[in-house]
Amino acid sequence: MPSLKWPSPFPNGGSEKAMIVSLNEKANPAAVKRELVARGLWIASELRDGNGAVRQFSISPGSAAISVSDITSIEGVDVVTTSKSEHPLVDKQGPVVQVAGITFGGGNPVWMCGPCSVESEDQLKRAAERLASFGVPFLRGGAFKPRTSPYAFQGHGRVALGWLRKAADANGMRVVTEALSEGDVGTVSEHADMLQVGSRNMHNYALLKSIGATKKPVLLKRGMAATLEEWLLAGEYLLGAGAQAVVFCERGIRSFDDTTRNLLDLGAVAILSHVVHAPVIVDPSHGTGRRDLILPMGRAALAAGAAGLMIETHDNPGEAKSDGPQAIFLDQMGPLLKTLQNVGNSR
Amino acid sequence: MPSLKWPSPFPNGGSEKAMIVSLNEKANPAAVKRELVARGLWIASELRDGNGAVRQFSISPGSAAISVSDITSIEGVDVVTTSKSEHPLVDKQGPVVQVAGITFGGGNPVWMCGPCSVESEDQLKRAAERLASFGVPFLRGGAFKPRTSPYAFQGHGRVALGWLRKAADANGMRVVTEALSEGDVGTVSEHADMLQVGSRNMHNYALLKSIGATKKPVLLKRGMAATLEEWLLAGEYLLGAGAQAVVFCERGIRSFDDTTRNLLDLGAVAILSHVVHAPVIVDPSHGTGRRDLILPMGRAALAAGAAGLMIETHDNPGEAKSDGPQAIFLDQMGPLLKTLQNVGNSR
Amino acid sequence: MPSLKWPSPFPNGGSEKAMIVSLNEKANPAAVKRELVARGLWIASELRDGNGAVRQFSISPGSAAISVSDITSIEGVDVVTTSKSEHPLVDKQGPVVQVAGITFGGGNPVWMCGPCSVESEDQLKRAAERLASFGVPFLRGGAFKPRTSPYAFQGHGRVALGWLRKAADANGMRVVTEALSEGDVGTVSEHADMLQVGSRNMHNYALLKSIGATKKPVLLKRGMAATLEEWLLAGEYLLGAGAQAVVFCERGIRSFDDTTRNLLDLGAVAILSHVVHAPVIVDPSHGTGRRDLILPMGRAALAAGAAGLMIETHDNPGEAKSDGPQAIFLDQMGPLLKTLQNVGNSR
Amino acid sequence: MPSLKWPSPFPNGGSEKAMIVSLNEKANPAAVKRELVARGLWIASELRDGNGAVRQFSISPGSAAISVSDITSIEGVDVVTTSKSEHPLVDKQGPVVQVAGITFGGGNPVWMCGPCSVESEDQLKRAAERLASFGVPFLRGGAFKPRTSPYAFQGHGRVALGWLRKAADANGMRVVTEALSEGDVGTVSEHADMLQVGSRNMHNYALLKSIGATKKPVLLKRGMAATLEEWLLAGEYLLGAGAQAVVFCERGIRSFDDTTRNLLDLGAVAILSHVVHAPVIVDPSHGTGRRDLILPMGRAALAAGAAGLMIETHDNPGEAKSDGPQAIFLDQMGPLLKTLQNVGNSR
């Protein structure tokens, strides 16, 4: 008789870093092992005392989500110990959050669209009008740009924040934009509805504290080689410092294969969505670096459990000051979003 | 005016390893660059001669798929050079293949299900009956098991091949199973409709040649740290040796984060499906190692462009001789496949 | 006749990101290829025009360092194009720099030692006295600590800077310590002879600009998944903002195997030292996470070309507030450094 | 008082995959933790029962090597459990092995040199004469070549084995060469003193069993993304099948940075040499892919604990059928080996 119900196999809890199942003196280790495996748990190792007797099982952290009391009830189990979650505030926040009146994690996918860099007031005006007409609630755009080279365009800075705000207000949209420097957090906070922490700054704890202190909601991109645990702990920094809400954003990680610009880790999205129960969206633009893969990978992200998508758009990608090749033409956004909305609805 | 059509933005070609755009003497490098970017191409570097003049652009291999003649027609371009595809047979095979009467890549997703290891004749009989009743065309199961430890169960070997064949025949199913050793290729070939190359053997060229020589269709799993190019070249070994068809199977790659058992690279699936135009399926069982993520990641795989899924099942995972925690209970397979079929249909 | 001299096979130049060798009309492509290979260059791809003729060779970026004019002189070569270095200031700085009277890259290895975190005035006093007696010129210690968890010890902050300065001054040592926040850069700069950028902040461009603006010398740790090019560009940010000098520090990168805490990339050290000609030291404490591997890996780092080592020490690692397991006991430092000095001398 | 002696801080044991320290009822968890940290152990997690009490500590596998009885003697510790080593035969083999009269791991570094591919009888004759004159005991050369592309040169096969044997015999050298196919193992075994398992075949268990069955000594290269544990288990396959001895060979692993051809993991060499106590050599030719880094990285490998080096040589690298750019000119080998020998002697 299967112990996991279907089609909702995701009990809560389950993000333990470690779990040890200790046996009592009468236990039959092989029998306990069978029960653990049947519940979807990987035995990382059998632990033996100095006499070679199996005394404990160490459970692999990536194992299925089941409750500790389920395991304790197995015959032969003495005690089950686990590590305490290091991110209680993220756990407490749960999977559904409200940002400026928009619900993340409520079933309806949330779109965040706009140019990579804010380039001119006029550009933003045109973008916001079109995007609003497609029902996009969040206008994105970089006023401050983190660039690998000091000689690359670094963004128009503070003036661009005003353009963002104005274009959004004129079209009933919200603004999400990145703060790069602790010195700019105040100004960004005045103009944006949601502050973005970029991938390169996920481990920048001074910035996280500073952004959290604004009490605003935050979009937290995953660092390019951050483990899930590190990502969740960065969210804990934000919430601990006062952030109203944290939405996680997977945007691709570093890999040995450069066929795509980054490697979009949708397994991480599934874990956050279905096991950790945290709100998570996906950025397929950075995740693939290819305009022609945004549709299939956006669709896949929603299917894996993403609560929304961030997509870069440009009315003329050839003129884009950054990341043009991965920007969708504004003219393509309508049909693209319609297709993606259908995927969201059919989940 | 957008140069990429929507919603079919995938012109053929596009798997060049390298591309150099050389300028003619009258070219305005900045103007050419704008045109390239607008077409979705990443400029990997500007190449200058000894006098510091820009003479060429190197295009990043992971850029969008557009034809060389489109680029040559840009004003200021002298010549466009590309590297020759090193896998002409894979290119020629195209995205749709027939295996024992079943079409991969034709739109309808193909299921391959069964236990990780073949454990007994009775187990297979029960599995095949249930799976056939759900409309699963391929019965999978390991007769020979590649195990990291020499002390782990290595499979029942040749006798298990007979059980597979018998169970499949009794239920109108096809057999797909792995050959580990050149010495077993003949026997496996006699019993199976499709031979599987496991992840650990993707770089085992002696085995690839031996399997290709059977003229059978092959399921080729991606090596755990293989680049896409290496994977395609392994397919080229098989086709060059005579394989009737090669279907690629993404099953997760190695990563720095062990939260999931492997990292399922759906971007690679999108590239193979939409850019390279090769038939590719996904194994979410190995790709996540968690029973509870098979539904969302199976759904995501189909959304990204997979032509089918390989899913491990067991009627009693606690008794499984290998990989029990990632096996779906047979009782769960019916609703699981129904849900996945809907995703496949709505693509 | 070998074209590379021995034992000094490192001509200058050689850190090109890309190189294209174009053939003239009379060229024999195979003959040119042989000459390129003999000079230690990997042909990444043969580039062909629309008629299938080989027109260019693309050279792999990780190839041997030889001058462009050497290549241009090969018969059949028309023109050799390269990408412009994106880090001219790092290139100009060269391999030898002076920091507070100490020479990095001059042949004599430089030691930087002290506790991971500054824990008390008394602790530092004891450490500095012993370290100075061993001839260690730089006292290290974290006043501000970047911690993955917000609940871990974050350092004693500004007061610890005073303890560092005082302990160093009393023993004729220099202070190197990390600045985490733009807001603390001024204070750190007043107390330290050299500012450290930690691994987590290598991509934090706002901090790099702020630290560079102090005009102080900087120790720049490599990001945990940073490519060499990204690391050099971070150095370019610092020098461009005014840093007096930049010394690079390899401290291990992220890998799929957690047997050691990080993966110490000594090949990167060899490239920086022998090909890029930049000053680079190594931190074997973080690079291995194991006290018992600091000697062999410190020795290996010097052998690969490191200009010095940063080693964590503690008089009582069990009481250390951070990273105790990788700290060397103060009592072990004397013989350790004597052994390492011998390696440095025998290079 | 330091509990680790210096300069021999490597007690035996220490390659446990997992260790759990359970506390007795009177234990002070904080005090036990301090003692563990002082002994160089990383606490991976504190394990708590349902009431939140700390009952156990999980120790990180990459922690320092100390004996279980040392830990058990700490006040407050109830029992220490560990996982059983999965590679008892590798453990039993120990760090010193004899291969055809040559000692690996005895202090004197062992050289293995020769061309990447065996290209002609004459080439080998010239190489063996020179190499023997430099005191190189092992002649290497590929008769069967594993190539990523099916269209690349695959080696001269069986005839090349005869050339190898003859050239070695004429100069008092031993032959080490790779077997790719189970079908060739017998022939290779007849001609070689030591059989090589290539990186691509480390996970090819059928080949491992077949090679082990020859009872010959084996050189086992690390797979390009193999963990240390997987590598050791491949050695266990060989010894279990009958191999006379197994020498491990690090040749670089896959990484996100392609500046060097592979990433040479010398931390793994230090672990194998100083903690696991297994014989290990290094191949800096594949590990860097650059002729000009073979000296510094060969030196570093020996400093980290390597028992020898495998170096590719060619009398005319421009004519090499494979891997020419990383081959050392025969004329350079004399001074190179003299320099390296000095490093070996001074360890």
Side-chain angles (χ1 to χ4, degrees), chain D residues 24 57 63 69 87 119 135 137 147 184 205 223 232 268 276 336-337:
Chain D
N24 62 31
F57 294 109
S63 284
S69 60
H87 37 74
E119 293 165 11
R147 303 303 297 275
D184 295 325
Y205 304 125
L232 293 169
V276 177
L336 177 72
L337 289 176

Side-chain angles (χ1 to χ4, degrees), chain B residues 130-168:
Chain B
R130 296 295 299 277
L131 293 171
S133 79
F134 304 140
V136 174
F138 280 90
L139 180 64
R140 64 142 288 150
F144 302 96
K145 296 300 305 172
R147 304 302 298 273
T148 308
S149 165
Y151 305 115
F153 176 63
Q154 311 263 323
H156 283 302
R158 298 181 181 222
V159 64
L161 293 173
W163 301 339
L164 269 171
R165 185 72 266 164
K166 203 168 146 191

Side-chain angles (χ1 to χ4, degrees), chain A residues 86-89 145-152 154 180-183 200-201 203-207 209 224-227 229-230 233-234 236-237 240 254, chain C residues 86-89 145-152 154 180-183 200-201 203-207 209 224-227 229-230 233-234 236-237 240 254:
Chain A
E86 298 197 44
H87 37 75
L89 299 176
K145 296 300 303 173
R147 305 302 298 275
T148 306
S149 164
Y151 306 115
Q154 310 264 323
L180 276 187
S181 161
E182 298 164 67
R200 290 173 179 80
N201 281 314
H203 289 291
N204 177 355
Y205 304 126
L207 185 67
K209 290 176 186 173
M224 54 184 98
T227 62
E229 185 71 12
E230 290 169 344
L233 285 168
E236 190 76 7
Y237 264 103
R254 193 131 264 182
Chain C
E86 298 197 44
H87 36 75
L89 299 175
K145 295 299 303 171
R147 303 303 297 275
T148 308
S149 165
Y151 306 115
Q154 311 264 323
L180 276 187
S181 161
E182 298 163 67
R200 290 173 179 81
N201 281 315
H203 289 290
N204 176 354
Y205 304 126
L207 185 66
K209 289 176 186 173
M224 53 184 98
T227 62
E229 185 70 11
E230 290 169 343
L233 285 168
E236 190 77 6
Y237 264 103
R254 192 129 265 180

